[in-house]
Every structure is written in C-alpha cells, then in structure tokens.
C-alpha cells in the first residue's frame, strides 16, 4: 500500500522548480548517457557535489573536507570494498554519480531488507543542478540497471531504497520501473521505502517508455 502522501507527489507538494518540470520534461537521449568507473581524479568533483545542499539533504552525511571523500571512495576505487562506483556523463560532461553492490555483502543491511540473496543494490544522485527535476534521473537509473547491473546474469533483481520522505526520488524510481515492496527500518535507523525491479520488468518498462516517446 502506498503511503498517504504518495498521491500528492504530482500536485501541491511539488515546489516551483518541480511544477515546471512536471509540465515540461526535456527529451534526453539514452545514447548520450555513459557510465565510467570512478577515478581518483573525480573525487574533487564528488566533494563539490556532496556538499551541494540538494545532494546533501538525502545522500548521507556531508563531508567537510576532500580528505573525507578520499577516505570513503579510494577503497572502493581500488577494489578493497565491494562497491562498484561510476560517474555518470551526459554528452561527455559529468552530471551525477551511481553505485551498485550486492545487498548480501552487508549482512545487517541484508537482514533488514530481507530480499533475494542475489539482489543488487543501487544508490545514486544527480550532481549537476541543471539536470534536476527534468526527468533525467529515471532515465539514468534505467540505463544503468540495463547496461551494468543486469549484465551480471547471477543478479536476480535490483533494489533501491530511498528515504520514505524522499518523494521526488520515489516518483523517479517508479518511472524507471521500480515497484514498492515494503518499508523497513535500516540499521542506521532511517525508514527506507524498498523498491525492486526484475530483468523482465525492466524489458517491459523500456518498451513501454519507448512507445510513449515515439507517439
């Protein structure tokens, strides 16, 4: 069952920028979206994004220094931590960040979510404010799951779990094809709105979206 506020996403709860975006979504081209492994040289850009109020509101704690960002992401870049990190480029310009990992690599988190053993998790944010509230996030997520996550045939499903109060993200993920299965309390105490997408559902959603774009 959807929370009471979900029906309000498309009307009075949207701020001015979101109302404009609702009325006029830009047509982004899938072929111009690329995903490249995160590198050390990207971390200064990551620091700028992570201290952007629009990102910091939802994406973990805000770093105070570049060294904090390096401390978190260098282990992932080197492969010491099993999180696969990517910069998202649009037309060769960096616009966001996305990462994937197996849910069961974090046993406490896996126990809280209680999803398929072979589920992959995804986290993301749009760093460039010019790409926010324009329909880009759902397309970016959909393409990442298609090109990266489900290229591993051992993955049974993809899971994304925004904060239950992050209405804009929930709306975007639903557009990408994800569906709500439960709401849980994560180990950090946050209420998460768990959404899932399976390979066959992704194929159907892309076909549906392509059909609507071609009308």
């Amino acid at each position: 069952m959807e929370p009471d506020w979900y029906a309000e996403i498309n009307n009075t709860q949207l701020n001015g920028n979101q109302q404009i975006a609702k009325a006029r979504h830009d047509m982004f081209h899938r072929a111009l979206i690329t995903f490249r492994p995160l590198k050390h040289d990207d971390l200064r850009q990551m620091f700028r994004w992570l201290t952007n109020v629009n990102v910091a509101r939802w994406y973990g704690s805000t770093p105070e220094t570049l060294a904090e960002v390096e401390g978190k992401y260098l282990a992932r870049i080197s492969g010491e931590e099993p999180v696969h990190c990517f910069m998202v480029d649009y037309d060769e310009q960096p616009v966001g960040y996305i990462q994937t990992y197996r849910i069961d690599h974090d046993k406490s988190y896996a126990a809280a979510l209680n999803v398929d053993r072979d589920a992959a998790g995804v986290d993301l944010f749009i760093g460039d404010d010019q790409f926010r509230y324009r329909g880009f996030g759902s397309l970016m997520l959909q393409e990442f799951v298609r090109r990266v996550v489900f290229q591993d045939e051992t993955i049974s499903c993809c899971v994304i779990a925004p904060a239950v109060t992050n209405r804009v993200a929930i709306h975007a993920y639903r557009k990408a094809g994800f569906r709500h299965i439960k709401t849980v309390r994560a180990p950090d105490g946050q209420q998460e709105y768990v959404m899932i997408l399976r390979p066959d559902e992704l194929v159907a959603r892309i076909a549906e979206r392509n059909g609507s774009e071609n009308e």
Side-chain angles (χ1 to χ4, degrees), residues 62-100:
T62 305
E64 295 185 2
T65 65
L66 176 60
E68 286 184 49
V69 177
E70 292 174 333
K72 179 175 181 177
Y73 289 96
L74 284 178
R76 300 179 181 185
I77 291 171
S78 69
E80 294 175 44
E81 292 187 9
V83 180
H84 305 289
C85 306
F86 297 83
M87 291 290 279
V88 183
D89 290 351
Y90 187 78
D91 197 14
E92 301 184 349
Q93 297 300 314
V95 298
Y97 169 81
I98 195 164
Q99 64 183 29
T100 186

Side-chain angles (χ1 to χ4, degrees), residues 121-142:
V122 170
D123 307 309
L124 62 92
F125 62 78
I126 295 174
D128 188 331
D129 287 337
Q130 296 184 55
F131 283 73
R132 210 176 302 281
Y133 310 127
R134 293 172 60 188
F136 182 75
S138 59
L139 187 61
M140 161 181 135
L141 173 58
Q142 198 175 74

Side-chain angles (χ1 to χ4, degrees), residues 2 6 138 169-180 193 195 205:
E2 303 293 356
Y6 188 81
S138 59
I170 290 170
H171 183 54
Y173 303 159
R174 180 176 290 274
K175 282 183 60 183
F178 284 76
R179 54 186 171 84
H180 178 237
Y193 190 85
M195 307 177 77
R205 184 67 187 97

Side-chain angles (χ1 to χ4, degrees), residues 47-65:
F47 176 59
R48 287 193 290 268
W49 284 344
L50 289 166
T51 53
N52 179 321
V53 64
N54 292 312
V55 174
R57 182 181 180 190
W58 302 112
Y59 203 82
S61 58
T62 305
E64 295 185 2
T65 65

